[in-house]
Amino acid sequence: MGSLVVLIGLLIMPMCICMTMSHAPNAFTPNGFDNPRTTVVIINDLGGSLPLRYHCKSKDDDLGDQTMPPRGSWFFEFKPSVFGNTQFYCSFSWGNELHYFDIYRQDRDRLFAKFGCRRCEWKIHKNGPCKLNKDNGMFDVCLPWN
Protein backbone atom coordinates (compact mmCIF):
# COMPACT_ATOMS: atom_id res chain seq x y z
CA MET A 1 0.00 0.00 0.00
CA GLY A 2 2.85 2.41 0.84
CA SER A 3 4.47 1.93 -2.56
CA LEU A 4 1.13 2.65 -4.27
CA VAL A 5 0.94 6.04 -2.49
CA VAL A 6 4.53 6.84 -3.55
CA LEU A 7 3.77 5.82 -7.13
CA ILE A 8 0.64 8.01 -7.25
CA GLY A 9 2.62 10.90 -5.75
CA LEU A 10 5.33 10.51 -8.40
CA LEU A 11 2.69 10.59 -11.14
CA ILE A 12 0.77 13.58 -9.77
CA MET A 13 3.76 15.80 -8.89
CA PRO A 14 5.00 16.32 -12.49
CA MET A 15 1.45 17.15 -13.61
CA CYS A 16 1.13 19.80 -10.88
CA ILE A 17 4.50 21.31 -11.80
CA CYS A 18 3.55 21.45 -15.49
CA MET A 19 0.18 23.07 -14.73
CA THR A 20 1.82 25.64 -12.43
CA MET A 21 4.44 26.54 -15.05
CA SER A 22 1.84 26.85 -17.81
CA HIS A 23 -0.08 29.46 -15.77
CA ALA A 24 2.98 31.41 -14.61
CA PRO A 25 4.26 34.48 -16.46
CA ASN A 26 6.68 33.32 -19.07
CA ALA A 27 10.00 34.46 -17.65
CA PHE A 28 11.85 32.05 -19.92
CA THR A 29 10.77 33.55 -23.24
CA PRO A 30 13.61 35.51 -24.85
CA ASN A 31 12.68 39.10 -25.78
CA GLY A 32 12.84 38.48 -29.50
CA PHE A 33 10.43 35.54 -29.38
CA ASP A 34 7.59 37.00 -27.32
CA ASN A 35 4.54 37.40 -29.55
CA PRO A 36 1.98 39.70 -27.90
CA ARG A 37 -1.13 40.92 -29.71
CA THR A 38 -0.64 44.29 -31.35
CA THR A 39 -3.31 46.94 -31.98
CA VAL A 40 -3.08 49.56 -34.72
CA VAL A 41 -5.30 52.63 -34.34
CA ILE A 42 -5.92 55.04 -37.23
CA ILE A 43 -7.39 58.50 -36.59
CA ASN A 44 -8.75 60.83 -39.28
CA ASP A 45 -7.03 64.18 -38.64
CA LEU A 46 -7.36 65.61 -42.18
CA GLY A 47 -9.17 68.64 -40.83
CA GLY A 48 -12.42 70.22 -41.94
CA SER A 49 -15.21 67.87 -42.86
CA LEU A 50 -13.17 65.47 -44.99
CA PRO A 51 -13.98 61.79 -44.66
CA LEU A 52 -10.99 59.46 -44.97
CA ARG A 53 -11.29 56.46 -47.28
CA TYR A 54 -8.81 53.69 -46.56
CA HIS A 55 -8.00 50.09 -47.39
CA CYS A 56 -5.53 48.16 -45.22
CA LYS A 57 -4.07 44.72 -45.81
CA SER A 58 -1.13 42.43 -45.22
CA LYS A 59 0.27 39.59 -47.25
CA ASP A 60 -2.31 37.30 -45.62
CA ASP A 61 -5.23 39.52 -44.55
CA ASP A 62 -7.34 42.06 -46.46
CA LEU A 63 -9.25 44.31 -44.06
CA GLY A 64 -11.42 45.82 -46.81
CA ASP A 65 -12.38 49.27 -48.07
CA GLN A 66 -13.67 51.55 -45.34
CA THR A 67 -14.62 55.18 -44.78
CA MET A 68 -13.94 57.12 -41.59
CA PRO A 69 -15.73 60.35 -40.65
CA PRO A 70 -13.75 63.47 -39.67
CA ARG A 71 -12.03 62.97 -36.28
CA GLY A 72 -13.18 59.33 -36.36
CA SER A 73 -10.98 56.35 -35.54
CA TRP A 74 -10.72 52.67 -36.37
CA PHE A 75 -8.47 49.87 -35.13
CA PHE A 76 -7.42 46.33 -35.91
CA GLU A 77 -5.50 43.70 -33.95
CA PHE A 78 -3.13 40.92 -34.91
CA LYS A 79 -0.26 38.81 -33.64
CA PRO A 80 3.05 39.76 -35.25
CA SER A 81 5.04 36.96 -36.82
CA VAL A 82 7.70 35.25 -34.72
CA PHE A 83 9.91 35.63 -37.80
CA GLY A 84 9.78 39.45 -37.59
CA ASN A 85 8.29 40.10 -41.03
CA THR A 86 4.73 41.28 -40.32
CA GLN A 87 3.64 44.25 -42.43
CA PHE A 88 0.30 45.99 -42.93
CA TYR A 89 -0.02 48.68 -45.57
CA CYS A 90 -2.90 51.01 -46.34
CA SER A 91 -4.12 53.27 -49.10
CA PHE A 92 -5.62 56.55 -47.90
CA SER A 93 -7.74 58.84 -50.05
CA TRP A 94 -9.80 62.01 -49.76
CA GLY A 95 -10.97 64.37 -52.47
CA ASN A 96 -8.63 63.79 -55.43
CA GLU A 97 -5.72 62.65 -53.24
CA LEU A 98 -4.44 59.07 -52.97
CA HIS A 99 -1.50 57.98 -50.80
CA TYR A 100 0.01 54.74 -49.51
CA PHE A 101 1.69 54.03 -46.20
CA ASP A 102 3.05 51.01 -44.30
CA ILE A 103 0.91 51.43 -41.18
CA TYR A 104 2.74 48.60 -39.38
CA ARG A 105 6.19 47.24 -40.18
CA GLN A 106 7.55 44.86 -37.61
CA ASP A 107 11.15 45.94 -38.20
CA ARG A 108 10.14 49.57 -37.45
CA ASP A 109 7.30 49.12 -34.93
CA ARG A 110 8.26 46.09 -32.83
CA LEU A 111 7.82 46.72 -29.13
CA PHE A 112 11.46 47.36 -28.21
CA ALA A 113 12.33 49.63 -31.14
CA LYS A 114 12.91 53.36 -30.41
CA PHE A 115 9.32 54.23 -31.31
CA GLY A 116 8.00 50.68 -31.08
CA CYS A 117 4.56 49.89 -29.77
CA ARG A 118 2.09 47.21 -28.78
CA ARG A 119 -0.66 49.78 -29.38
CA CYS A 120 0.40 51.79 -32.45
CA GLU A 121 -1.68 54.94 -32.87
CA TRP A 122 -1.50 57.03 -36.04
CA LYS A 123 -3.13 60.34 -36.95
CA ILE A 124 -3.57 60.74 -40.69
CA HIS A 125 -2.80 64.28 -41.87
CA LYS A 126 -2.83 65.59 -45.45
CA ASN A 127 0.96 65.76 -45.50
CA GLY A 128 1.47 62.29 -43.98
CA PRO A 129 0.84 60.06 -40.96
CA CYS A 130 2.10 60.90 -37.44
CA LYS A 131 2.57 58.22 -34.79
CA LEU A 132 1.94 58.62 -31.08
CA ASN A 133 5.24 59.05 -29.28
CA LYS A 134 4.97 56.95 -26.12
CA ASP A 135 7.71 59.05 -24.47
CA ASN A 136 5.83 62.37 -24.57
CA GLY A 137 2.23 61.45 -25.47
CA MET A 138 2.25 63.56 -28.63
CA PHE A 139 1.74 62.58 -32.27
CA ASP A 140 5.15 63.90 -33.30
CA VAL A 141 6.73 60.87 -35.00
CA CYS A 142 5.77 61.92 -38.52
CA LEU A 143 6.76 59.94 -41.59
CA PRO A 144 6.34 60.64 -45.30
CA TRP A 145 3.88 58.82 -47.54
CA ASN A 146 5.38 55.82 -49.35
Side-chain angles (χ1 to χ4, degrees):
M1 182 69 170
S3 62
L4 180 60
V5 171
V6 170
L7 181 61
I8 291 173
L10 289 174
L11 291 173
I12 292 177
M13 189 179 335
M15 291 188 327
C16 291
I17 291 171
C18 289
M19 286 179 57
T20 301
M21 288 182 70
S22 70
H23 287 64
N26 195 350
F28 303 106
T29 301
N31 284 341
F33 294 98
D34 190 20
N35 192 19
R37 288 192 72 72
T38 296
T39 302
V40 172
V41 180
I42 300 171
I43 301 164
N44 177 357
D45 201 28
L46 293 173
S49 60
L50 287 172
L52 176 65
R53 290 182 307 280
Y54 58 98
H55 185 170
C56 298
K57 56 185 168 180
S58 71
K59 180 180 68 169
D60 301 316
D61 299 298
D62 188 332
L63 305 178
D65 289 308
Q66 316 230 15
T67 301
M68 186 185 311
R71 306 296 298 165
S73 65
W74 174 76
F75 73 93
F76 63 96
E77 295 181 323
F78 59 94
K79 280 193 124 183
S81 166
V82 295
F83 301 109
N85 60 354
T86 301
Q87 180 177 354
F88 279 87
Y89 44 95
C90 302
S91 64
F92 295 99
S93 62
W94 61 91
N96 292 326
E97 297 277 335
L98 173 63
H99 299 281
Y100 296 91
F101 183 70
D102 296 332
I103 203 75
Y104 181 86
R105 268 192 9 229
Q106 197 166 355
D107 63 332
R108 178 191 69 204
D109 300 314
R110 70 188 181 283
L111 188 56
F112 299 106
K114 177 164 176 56
F115 295 109
C117 50
R118 186 172 290 166
R119 180 179 172 87
C120 305
E121 297 185 48
W122 293 91
K123 281 190 174 181
I124 304 302
H125 301 281
K126 289 179 180 177
N127 59 345
C130 294
K131 187 177 185 181
L132 178 64
N133 183 336
K134 63 186 175 192
D135 293 335
N136 64 19
M138 299 180 67
F139 286 87
D140 62 0
V141 181
C142 299
L143 299 174
W145 297 113
N146 288 5

